PDB file of all heavy atoms in Angstrom:
ATOM      1  N   GLY A 209     -11.100   0.818   4.532  1.00 94.00           N
ATOM      2  CA  GLY A 209      -9.805   0.789   3.870  1.00 94.00           C
ATOM      3  C   GLY A 209      -9.925   0.551   2.381  1.00 94.00           C
ATOM      4  O   GLY A 209      -9.212   1.174   1.579  1.00 94.00           O
ATOM      5  N   ALA A 210     -10.822  -0.351   1.983  1.00 94.00           N
ATOM      6  CA  ALA A 210     -11.027  -0.622   0.565  1.00 94.00           C
ATOM      7  C   ALA A 210     -11.574   0.606  -0.156  1.00 94.00           C
ATOM      8  O   ALA A 210     -11.186   0.911  -1.287  1.00 94.00           O
ATOM      9  CB  ALA A 210     -11.970  -1.805   0.394  1.00 94.00           C
ATOM     10  N   ARG A 211     -12.469   1.322   0.498  1.00 94.00           N
ATOM     11  CA  ARG A 211     -13.031   2.542  -0.096  1.00 94.00           C
ATOM     12  C   ARG A 211     -11.926   3.578  -0.305  1.00 94.00           C
ATOM     13  O   ARG A 211     -11.856   4.258  -1.346  1.00 94.00           O
ATOM     14  CB  ARG A 211     -14.118   3.109   0.798  1.00 94.00           C
ATOM     15  CG  ARG A 211     -14.844   4.304   0.205  1.00 94.00           C
ATOM     16  CD  ARG A 211     -15.922   4.849   1.131  1.00 94.00           C
ATOM     17  NE  ARG A 211     -16.956   3.842   1.394  1.00 94.00           N
ATOM     18  CZ  ARG A 211     -17.183   3.285   2.562  1.00 94.00           C
ATOM     19  NH1 ARG A 211     -16.438   3.628   3.603  1.00 94.00           N
ATOM     20  NH2 ARG A 211     -18.129   2.396   2.714  1.00 94.00           N
ATOM     21  N   PHE A 212     -11.040   3.693   0.657  1.00 92.00           N
ATOM     22  CA  PHE A 212      -9.915   4.629   0.556  1.00 92.00           C
ATOM     23  C   PHE A 212      -9.018   4.267  -0.627  1.00 92.00           C
ATOM     24  O   PHE A 212      -8.603   5.142  -1.405  1.00 92.00           O
ATOM     25  CB  PHE A 212      -9.118   4.593   1.859  1.00 92.00           C
ATOM     26  CG  PHE A 212      -7.836   5.374   1.828  1.00 92.00           C
ATOM     27  CD1 PHE A 212      -7.847   6.752   1.963  1.00 92.00           C
ATOM     28  CD2 PHE A 212      -6.618   4.724   1.676  1.00 92.00           C
ATOM     29  CE1 PHE A 212      -6.661   7.481   1.933  1.00 92.00           C
ATOM     30  CE2 PHE A 212      -5.433   5.441   1.643  1.00 92.00           C
ATOM     31  CZ  PHE A 212      -5.449   6.815   1.776  1.00 92.00           C
ATOM     32  N   ALA A 213      -8.714   2.973  -0.800  1.00 91.00           N
ATOM     33  CA  ALA A 213      -7.833   2.543  -1.880  1.00 91.00           C
ATOM     34  C   ALA A 213      -8.452   2.809  -3.244  1.00 91.00           C
ATOM     35  O   ALA A 213      -7.769   3.231  -4.183  1.00 91.00           O
ATOM     36  CB  ALA A 213      -7.513   1.054  -1.722  1.00 91.00           C
ATOM     37  N   ARG A 214      -9.742   2.574  -3.381  1.00 89.00           N
ATOM     38  CA  ARG A 214     -10.396   2.769  -4.682  1.00 89.00           C
ATOM     39  C   ARG A 214     -10.471   4.239  -5.069  1.00 89.00           C
ATOM     40  O   ARG A 214     -10.489   4.575  -6.260  1.00 89.00           O
ATOM     41  CB  ARG A 214     -11.808   2.168  -4.657  1.00 89.00           C
ATOM     42  CG  ARG A 214     -11.848   0.661  -4.589  1.00 89.00           C
ATOM     43  CD  ARG A 214     -13.266   0.166  -4.895  1.00 89.00           C
ATOM     44  NE  ARG A 214     -14.262   0.830  -4.073  1.00 89.00           N
ATOM     45  CZ  ARG A 214     -14.663   0.408  -2.877  1.00 89.00           C
ATOM     46  NH1 ARG A 214     -14.126  -0.688  -2.366  1.00 89.00           N
ATOM     47  NH2 ARG A 214     -15.586   1.066  -2.194  1.00 89.00           N
ATOM     48  N   ARG A 215     -10.533   5.124  -4.077  1.00 89.00           N
ATOM     49  CA  ARG A 215     -10.688   6.547  -4.376  1.00 89.00           C
ATOM     50  C   ARG A 215      -9.367   7.235  -4.667  1.00 89.00           C
ATOM     51  O   ARG A 215      -9.350   8.350  -5.214  1.00 89.00           O
ATOM     52  CB  ARG A 215     -11.389   7.242  -3.198  1.00 89.00           C
ATOM     53  CG  ARG A 215     -12.852   6.832  -3.053  1.00 89.00           C
ATOM     54  CD  ARG A 215     -13.532   7.576  -1.924  1.00 89.00           C
ATOM     55  NE  ARG A 215     -14.961   7.249  -1.849  1.00 89.00           N
ATOM     56  CZ  ARG A 215     -15.793   7.750  -0.957  1.00 89.00           C
ATOM     57  NH1 ARG A 215     -15.349   8.591  -0.034  1.00 89.00           N
ATOM     58  NH2 ARG A 215     -17.073   7.402  -0.958  1.00 89.00           N
ATOM     59  N   LEU A 216      -8.251   6.617  -4.306  1.00 87.00           N
ATOM     60  CA  LEU A 216      -6.960   7.243  -4.571  1.00 87.00           C
ATOM     61  C   LEU A 216      -6.588   7.107  -6.041  1.00 87.00           C
ATOM     62  O   LEU A 216      -6.818   6.058  -6.653  1.00 87.00           O
ATOM     63  CB  LEU A 216      -5.867   6.584  -3.727  1.00 87.00           C
ATOM     64  CG  LEU A 216      -5.703   7.019  -2.273  1.00 87.00           C
ATOM     65  CD1 LEU A 216      -4.518   6.299  -1.667  1.00 87.00           C
ATOM     66  CD2 LEU A 216      -5.503   8.522  -2.161  1.00 87.00           C
ATOM     67  N   PRO A 217      -6.003   8.148  -6.654  1.00 88.00           N
ATOM     68  CA  PRO A 217      -5.437   7.996  -8.006  1.00 88.00           C
ATOM     69  C   PRO A 217      -4.364   6.907  -7.997  1.00 88.00           C
ATOM     70  O   PRO A 217      -3.687   6.705  -6.979  1.00 88.00           O
ATOM     71  CB  PRO A 217      -4.835   9.376  -8.287  1.00 88.00           C
ATOM     72  CG  PRO A 217      -5.530  10.308  -7.355  1.00 88.00           C
ATOM     73  CD  PRO A 217      -5.851   9.502  -6.126  1.00 88.00           C
ATOM     74  N   PRO A 218      -4.189   6.187  -9.107  1.00 80.00           N
ATOM     75  CA  PRO A 218      -3.227   5.077  -9.130  1.00 80.00           C
ATOM     76  C   PRO A 218      -1.828   5.456  -8.668  1.00 80.00           C
ATOM     77  O   PRO A 218      -1.187   4.707  -7.920  1.00 80.00           O
ATOM     78  CB  PRO A 218      -3.232   4.647 -10.608  1.00 80.00           C
ATOM     79  CG  PRO A 218      -4.579   5.043 -11.104  1.00 80.00           C
ATOM     80  CD  PRO A 218      -4.928   6.302 -10.371  1.00 80.00           C
ATOM     81  N   GLU A 219      -1.333   6.611  -9.092  1.00 82.00           N
ATOM     82  CA  GLU A 219       0.020   7.015  -8.699  1.00 82.00           C
ATOM     83  C   GLU A 219       0.095   7.274  -7.197  1.00 82.00           C
ATOM     84  O   GLU A 219       1.062   6.899  -6.534  1.00 82.00           O
ATOM     85  CB  GLU A 219       0.438   8.259  -9.469  1.00 82.00           C
ATOM     86  CG  GLU A 219       1.807   8.814  -9.085  1.00 82.00           C
ATOM     87  CD  GLU A 219       2.951   7.843  -9.345  1.00 82.00           C
ATOM     88  OE1 GLU A 219       2.765   6.877 -10.115  1.00 82.00           O
ATOM     89  OE2 GLU A 219       4.029   8.043  -8.760  1.00 82.00           O
ATOM     90  N   ARG A 220      -0.930   7.894  -6.644  1.00 87.00           N
ATOM     91  CA  ARG A 220      -0.948   8.147  -5.206  1.00 87.00           C
ATOM     92  C   ARG A 220      -1.040   6.841  -4.420  1.00 87.00           C
ATOM     93  O   ARG A 220      -0.387   6.673  -3.388  1.00 87.00           O
ATOM     94  CB  ARG A 220      -2.124   9.057  -4.853  1.00 87.00           C
ATOM     95  CG  ARG A 220      -2.252   9.369  -3.372  1.00 87.00           C
ATOM     96  CD  ARG A 220      -1.049  10.116  -2.853  1.00 87.00           C
ATOM     97  NE  ARG A 220      -0.914  11.419  -3.491  1.00 87.00           N
ATOM     98  CZ  ARG A 220       0.104  12.255  -3.281  1.00 87.00           C
ATOM     99  NH1 ARG A 220       1.095  11.877  -2.471  1.00 87.00           N
ATOM    100  NH2 ARG A 220       0.153  13.418  -3.892  1.00 87.00           N
ATOM    101  N   LEU A 221      -1.847   5.893  -4.899  1.00 84.00           N
ATOM    102  CA  LEU A 221      -1.947   4.600  -4.239  1.00 84.00           C
ATOM    103  C   LEU A 221      -0.610   3.882  -4.273  1.00 84.00           C
ATOM    104  O   LEU A 221      -0.213   3.237  -3.299  1.00 84.00           O
ATOM    105  CB  LEU A 221      -3.028   3.740  -4.903  1.00 84.00           C
ATOM    106  CG  LEU A 221      -3.224   2.343  -4.315  1.00 84.00           C
ATOM    107  CD1 LEU A 221      -3.606   2.421  -2.844  1.00 84.00           C
ATOM    108  CD2 LEU A 221      -4.290   1.573  -5.105  1.00 84.00           C
ATOM    109  N   ARG A 222       0.106   4.005  -5.393  1.00 80.00           N
ATOM    110  CA  ARG A 222       1.437   3.404  -5.479  1.00 80.00           C
ATOM    111  C   ARG A 222       2.358   3.979  -4.415  1.00 80.00           C
ATOM    112  O   ARG A 222       3.085   3.245  -3.727  1.00 80.00           O
ATOM    113  CB  ARG A 222       2.029   3.635  -6.868  1.00 80.00           C
ATOM    114  CG  ARG A 222       3.425   3.042  -7.046  1.00 80.00           C
ATOM    115  CD  ARG A 222       4.041   3.466  -8.361  1.00 80.00           C
ATOM    116  NE  ARG A 222       4.368   4.885  -8.370  1.00 80.00           N
ATOM    117  CZ  ARG A 222       5.471   5.395  -7.803  1.00 80.00           C
ATOM    118  NH1 ARG A 222       6.325   4.609  -7.183  1.00 80.00           N
ATOM    119  NH2 ARG A 222       5.708   6.688  -7.845  1.00 80.00           N
ATOM    120  N   GLN A 223       2.350   5.299  -4.255  1.00 86.00           N
ATOM    121  CA  GLN A 223       3.221   5.940  -3.275  1.00 86.00           C
ATOM    122  C   GLN A 223       2.841   5.555  -1.845  1.00 86.00           C
ATOM    123  O   GLN A 223       3.717   5.265  -1.023  1.00 86.00           O
ATOM    124  CB  GLN A 223       3.154   7.461  -3.450  1.00 86.00           C
ATOM    125  CG  GLN A 223       3.722   7.953  -4.772  1.00 86.00           C
ATOM    126  CD  GLN A 223       3.455   9.431  -5.008  1.00 86.00           C
ATOM    127  OE1 GLN A 223       2.671  10.055  -4.290  1.00 86.00           O
ATOM    128  NE2 GLN A 223       4.108   9.996  -6.007  1.00 86.00           N
ATOM    129  N   VAL A 224       1.549   5.558  -1.561  1.00 88.00           N
ATOM    130  CA  VAL A 224       1.093   5.214  -0.209  1.00 88.00           C
ATOM    131  C   VAL A 224       1.420   3.767   0.120  1.00 88.00           C
ATOM    132  O   VAL A 224       1.971   3.458   1.197  1.00 88.00           O
ATOM    133  CB  VAL A 224      -0.418   5.481  -0.072  1.00 88.00           C
ATOM    134  CG1 VAL A 224      -0.948   4.908   1.248  1.00 88.00           C
ATOM    135  CG2 VAL A 224      -0.712   6.971  -0.152  1.00 88.00           C
ATOM    136  N   SER A 225       1.081   2.850  -0.803  1.00 85.00           N
ATOM    137  CA  SER A 225       1.327   1.433  -0.542  1.00 85.00           C
ATOM    138  C   SER A 225       2.812   1.143  -0.414  1.00 85.00           C
ATOM    139  O   SER A 225       3.235   0.368   0.448  1.00 85.00           O
ATOM    140  CB  SER A 225       0.708   0.582  -1.653  1.00 85.00           C
ATOM    141  OG  SER A 225       1.264   0.904  -2.912  1.00 85.00           O
ATOM    142  N   ALA A 226       3.637   1.782  -1.257  1.00 85.00           N
ATOM    143  CA  ALA A 226       5.078   1.560  -1.186  1.00 85.00           C
ATOM    144  C   ALA A 226       5.654   2.070   0.124  1.00 85.00           C
ATOM    145  O   ALA A 226       6.500   1.413   0.747  1.00 85.00           O
ATOM    146  CB  ALA A 226       5.764   2.240  -2.372  1.00 85.00           C
ATOM    147  N   SER A 227       5.195   3.237   0.579  1.00 90.00           N
ATOM    148  CA  SER A 227       5.691   3.787   1.840  1.00 90.00           C
ATOM    149  C   SER A 227       5.330   2.894   3.027  1.00 90.00           C
ATOM    150  O   SER A 227       6.146   2.670   3.925  1.00 90.00           O
ATOM    151  CB  SER A 227       5.121   5.192   2.052  1.00 90.00           C
ATOM    152  OG  SER A 227       5.520   6.063   1.012  1.00 90.00           O
ATOM    153  N   ILE A 228       4.109   2.366   3.020  1.00 88.00           N
ATOM    154  CA  ILE A 228       3.683   1.483   4.111  1.00 88.00           C
ATOM    155  C   ILE A 228       4.453   0.163   4.065  1.00 88.00           C
ATOM    156  O   ILE A 228       4.818  -0.385   5.109  1.00 88.00           O
ATOM    157  CB  ILE A 228       2.166   1.261   4.051  1.00 88.00           C
ATOM    158  CG1 ILE A 228       1.443   2.571   4.356  1.00 88.00           C
ATOM    159  CG2 ILE A 228       1.734   0.186   5.046  1.00 88.00           C
ATOM    160  CD1 ILE A 228      -0.054   2.501   4.258  1.00 88.00           C
ATOM    161  N   LEU A 229       4.727  -0.336   2.859  1.00 84.00           N
ATOM    162  CA  LEU A 229       5.530  -1.556   2.745  1.00 84.00           C
ATOM    163  C   LEU A 229       6.921  -1.351   3.341  1.00 84.00           C
ATOM    164  O   LEU A 229       7.448  -2.232   4.031  1.00 84.00           O
ATOM    165  CB  LEU A 229       5.638  -1.988   1.283  1.00 84.00           C
ATOM    166  CG  LEU A 229       4.400  -2.617   0.657  1.00 84.00           C
ATOM    167  CD1 LEU A 229       4.615  -2.839  -0.830  1.00 84.00           C
ATOM    168  CD2 LEU A 229       4.038  -3.931   1.337  1.00 84.00           C
TER     169      LEU A 229
END
Side-chain angles (χ1 to χ4, degrees):
R211 185 180 299 113
F212 173 79
R214 291 193 308 271
R215 291 182 176 180
L216 279 183
E219 177 62 18
R220 179 62 63 184
L221 179 60
R222 180 188 69 80
Q223 294 171 349
V224 170
S225 60
S227 299
I228 293 177
L229 286 173

